Amino acid sequence: MRLLSLARRLYNSRPVTFKHIIGYQHPTLVAAQPQLRRHFFVAFRQPSVRHCSTIPPKPPFFSSSNSTSYEIISFDKCVDTLREKSYIDVREFVGIVRKASDFGSGDEAMLFLDECGVKPNKDLVFLVIWELREQWKLAYLLFKWGEKCKCLSENTWCLMIWILGNHGKFSTAWSLIRDLIQMSTNIQEAVLIMIDRYAAANNAGKAIQTFQTLEKFSMSPDQRTFLTFLNILCKHGFIEEAEEFMLINKKLFPLEIDGFNVILNGWCNIVVDIFEAKRIWREMSKCCIETNGTSYAHMISCFSKVRNLFDSLRLYDEMQKRGWIPGLEVYNSLIYVLTCENCVKEALKIIDKVKHMGLRPDSSTYNLMIHPLCESSKLDEARSILALMEEDNISPTIETYHAFLASASLEGTVEILNTMRKAGVGPNRETFLLILDRFMKLKEPENALKIWVEMKQYEVVPKSAHYSLLVGGLLECRLFSKAREMYAEMQSNEIDDPGLRKLLQPTGPRGQGDVKNPELTKKGRLVKHGGHKAIALPFIGSSTSEMTSMGHGSYQ
């Protein structure tokens, strides 16, 4: 009750002391300031206009305590492990495989690989297929060569199925599963990968049908496989379908807390729907399922993401009273919501409490403070937290730099990009999407174009999303000639966007477009089209352009 009354007072006065929760004092942020002069962020220039809307309001730093227990194989981790112990020149062999694509037939390509002088092994084949994952035909050629040489591990089969699923080649992927069946190999992991790829392709029906095929293969799924299946559906946004499937199949898989927690995690941490999360909490009570520490962790995470400090602290208090020991993910959630509510000192005290308990704060802990501070343009405080992060020997991650990029000027942006490269944490395609989006929203297309040049210097190959964002932004800024130039470059790289193509269609009086669909206009103004804003171009004449109480039963 002391915690609840304290949380209530928070809405009436600032600052709030949390002495009964956190009995530790932290050095003030002011004390940390002298050390910041040597920090690389001191040199960043701050723009006259601060705009942080490019950073998502719900940061991706939260961890979920149970979702990772029901994940399919992580190919990234497999690759990292193999690279650590492998001294094979993967890039050289990738180049050889790409040369094989010049041959007219698969037999000739296979013969070329036989005679290339490279002695294959399981690790090499896996790593090269991973490098070729964006070119499924080449990856499949190497896979068949590896099969011929008997150099395929079980993970390589799964990886090839995953790649084929990414490219929508499900029939070919199923042929590999049939081959595994004939080899009397356990196909459970392969089927789960197929389910994951169907769900990623927005086909929940096929994903559910695929799960049901396990019984046809005389493989009755156990409880963990069932929970992994539910988690896959939730991960890709099919939470309602997962819940319905769980309830319909309660005779085969009795309702238990773990299943409900998977669904709760979906509403709390994937789509962040507090109303649905409360409904699931009530359903658990109706089904006589007692909540556990994981349930509380999910709900506290959800409340913190919607910046509801009162309910976050109330649930934390209730969780402890019921004997559940909070883990780091719970404290991270509290740190985030406290920072959002301008209680930075209290958030730092929680970090001290975490250390005293023997838990080690991670990069997410500090990122969850840096992110809202940058979002609120409190850059000095954000830099102070970054300094404390490095004092704890925790290296900044790509998310850390992304947070600072949201408020950096052009010069500061370039400096951050250089720092990221030196630190070995990017920049990547997402980094440049964030930067381009920000400068376009600030109506600074000249800075966006300069960043476009920088992107190529960092060897980041632009994808469709980058071109669409840039060309759409240039059109919105009425830089039609430059927009056409960038669109031509986009097409030369075999990338196209039907929405942009229609916007740039040379059929109007000045060749800027054509309006034939009156539904695209509303009161003389054009509505959004596709993933970028539609705009009206200048015309001579009358024509217009198409440019486009958290206990059980508390929430009644």
Side-chain angles (χ1 to χ4, degrees):
M1 294 302 294
R2 294 175 64 193
L3 177 60
L4 296 181
S5 61
L6 193 60
R8 290 189 184 98
R9 293 209 311 270
L10 183 60
Y11 290 95
N12 299 321
S13 62
R14 296 286 197 279
V16 178
T17 57
F18 289 75
K19 292 180 181 178
H20 66 295
I21 310 175
I22 311 148
Y24 312 98
Q25 295 297 321
H26 196 284
T28 63
L29 293 177
V30 177
Q33 291 297 326
Q35 301 177 1
L36 296 181
R37 293 180 181 177
R38 294 187 298 273
H39 198 276
F40 66 85
F41 274 117
V42 172
F44 290 171
R45 273 63 173 180
Q46 300 179 20
S48 57
V49 179
R50 293 171 177 171
H51 187 89
C52 301
S53 61
T54 56
I55 298 295
K58 297 153 190 169
F61 316 129
F62 289 91
S63 61
S64 175
S65 58
N66 90 316
S67 64
T68 53
S69 303
Y70 310 120
E71 294 285 349
I72 61 173
I73 183 173
S74 171
F75 296 113
D76 291 296
K77 292 181 180 178
C78 292
V79 169
D80 291 340
T81 301
L82 289 178
R83 282 175 177 166
E84 287 178 3
K85 68 176 186 178
S86 176
Y87 298 95
I88 304 168
D89 191 344
V90 174
R91 288 189 177 182
E92 182 179 345
F93 192 46
V94 167
I96 293 173
V97 176
R98 286 189 170 133
K99 289 180 182 178
S101 64
D102 297 334
F103 292 91
S105 69
D107 292 337
E108 291 177 330
M110 294 283 275
L111 181 61
F112 173 76
L113 292 176
D114 287 336
E115 298 175 348
C116 70
V118 176
K119 186 176 181 180
N121 61 60
K122 292 181 179 180
D123 292 351
L124 174 64
V125 173
F126 182 91
L127 289 171
V128 174
I129 289 176
W130 171 259
E131 292 297 325
L132 296 169
R133 62 191 180 276
E134 298 295 336
Q135 300 167 280
W136 74 269
K137 290 183 180 180
L138 281 179
Y140 191 66
L141 170 65
L142 184 60
F143 174 84
K144 298 305 289 184
W145 184 67
E147 185 180 20
K148 175 185 173 183
C149 300
K150 297 182 180 180
C151 291
L152 296 182
S153 64
E154 185 176 332
N155 282 350
T156 307
W157 283 86
C158 291
L159 174 60
M160 194 66 239
I161 291 169
W162 180 78
I163 292 172
L164 291 169
N166 287 345
H167 293 272
K169 307 301 177 181
F170 291 104
S171 296
T172 307
W174 275 115
S175 71
L176 298 189
I177 291 178
R178 286 192 291 269
D179 290 344
L180 288 173
I181 295 172
Q182 292 177 0
M183 294 160 55
S184 300
T185 304
N186 190 322
I187 64 166
Q188 184 168 282
E189 192 69 36
V191 171
L192 287 173
I193 288 172
M194 286 291 285
I195 291 169
D196 180 71
R197 293 301 86 198
Y198 274 127
N202 204 33
N203 196 335
K206 280 288 188 180
I208 293 171
Q209 289 176 19
T210 302
F211 178 78
Q212 293 168 336
T213 61
L214 283 172
E215 291 187 358
K216 295 180 182 179
F217 296 132
S218 300
M219 295 182 60
S220 297
D222 57 15
Q223 185 72 7
R224 187 187 180 282
T225 304
F226 175 69
L227 294 173
T228 302
F229 165 67
L230 295 181
N231 188 58
I232 289 171
L233 290 179
C234 291
K235 180 177 69 175
H236 293 289
F238 296 107
I239 306 169
E240 292 178 351
E241 289 81 356
E243 180 184 350
E244 182 181 7
F245 192 85
M246 180 183 72
L247 296 174
I248 289 174
N249 291 275
K250 60 184 178 183
K251 290 184 179 179
L252 274 174
F253 303 98
L255 298 178
E256 295 178 354
I257 182 60
D258 290 338
F260 273 103
N261 279 342
V262 170
I263 307 300
L264 188 63
N265 177 60
W267 291 121
C268 289
N269 296 310
I270 296 171
V271 299
V272 193
D273 190 326
I274 193 66
F275 300 104
E276 289 294 334
K278 292 176 181 179
R279 180 185 62 78
I280 293 298
W281 191 275
R282 294 193 299 267
E283 286 296 320
M284 293 165 71
S285 178
K286 292 176 184 177
C287 296
C288 299
I289 303 292
E290 185 176 356
T291 53
N292 62 12
T294 300
S295 313
Y296 277 96
H298 291 333
M299 287 301 296
I300 291 171
S301 173
C302 193
F303 277 121
S304 69
K305 287 175 180 176
V306 298
R307 303 190 176 188
N308 185 332
L309 177 60
F310 175 76
D311 282 321
S312 299
L313 293 176
R314 179 168 57 81
L315 276 184
Y316 168 77
D317 189 44
E318 184 179 315
M319 179 182 187
Q320 290 187 307
K321 287 179 179 178
R322 294 189 59 188
W324 299 109
I325 300 175
L328 182 61
E329 70 275 4
V330 171
Y331 289 111
N332 282 350
S333 297
L334 296 180
I335 286 167
Y336 174 71
V337 71
L338 283 167
T339 306
C340 290
E341 290 297 306
N342 299 319
C343 300
V344 177
K345 291 183 180 179
E346 286 69 31
L348 288 171
K349 290 176 184 178
I350 287 191
I351 292 179
D352 278 346
K353 177 180 174 68
V354 166
K355 294 177 183 177
H356 184 78
M357 293 171 60
L359 298 173
R360 176 170 170 76
D362 56 16
S363 59
S364 296
T365 305
Y366 290 96
N367 285 339
L368 287 166
M369 293 189 70
I370 292 171
H371 177 275
L373 290 172
C374 288
E375 191 179 40
S376 302
S377 297
K378 298 178 180 178
L379 300 181
D380 289 339
E381 290 182 76
R383 294 187 189 104
S384 299
I385 301 302
L386 180 61
L388 295 172
M389 179 180 183
E390 294 185 326
E391 284 178 14
D392 279 348
N393 294 319
I394 299 175
S395 300
T397 64
I398 193 167
E399 289 85 6
T400 313
Y401 296 110
H402 283 178
F404 280 99
L405 281 170
S407 297
S409 64
L410 177 64
E411 187 177 356
T413 296
V414 173
E415 191 163 351
I416 295 174
L417 292 175
N418 289 331
T419 304
M420 293 175 73
R421 180 162 59 181
K422 291 177 182 177
V425 288
N428 59 16
R429 288 169 181 154
E430 183 185 355
T431 306
F432 287 99
L433 274 177
L434 290 171
I435 299 171
L436 291 171
D437 182 58
R438 176 172 179 271
F439 283 131
M440 285 306 183
K441 286 182 177 178
L442 290 173
K443 304 297 182 185
E444 298 177 6
E446 65 284 353
N447 286 341
L449 290 169
K450 290 177 182 177
I451 289 298
W452 187 264
V453 175
E454 287 287 329
M455 179 169 61
K456 295 180 180 179
Q457 293 179 4
Y458 284 94
E459 299 181 353
V460 174
V461 180
K463 292 293 186 178
S464 177
H466 298 85
Y467 279 109
S468 296
L469 195 153
L470 182 65
V471 176
L474 290 171
L475 287 172
E476 193 170 359
C477 293
R478 312 179 82 78
L479 298 174
F480 309 121
S481 178
K482 193 63 180 177
R484 288 195 183 89
E485 179 185 330
M486 298 308 302
Y487 181 68
E489 178 185 319
M490 177 179 178
Q491 289 183 309
S492 68
N493 290 324
E494 298 182 354
I495 302 173
D496 202 1
D497 183 326
L500 290 177
R501 184 171 65 250
K502 196 170 185 180
L503 288 173
L504 291 163
Q505 189 176 7
T507 56
R510 286 189 180 178
Q512 289 94 347
D514 180 30
V515 154
K516 295 180 181 179
N517 187 355
E519 293 179 359
L520 295 179
T521 62
K522 185 175 181 181
K523 294 183 180 179
R525 300 177 66 183
L526 292 165
V527 297
K528 288 183 179 180
H529 178 79
H532 45 270
K533 292 182 180 179
I535 59 171
L537 295 180
F539 273 80
I540 298 176
S542 59
S543 61
T544 57
S545 171
E546 179 191 359
M547 309 292 285
T548 15
S549 38
M550 248 342 269
H552 290 312
S554 300
Y555 296 110
Q556 303 297 335

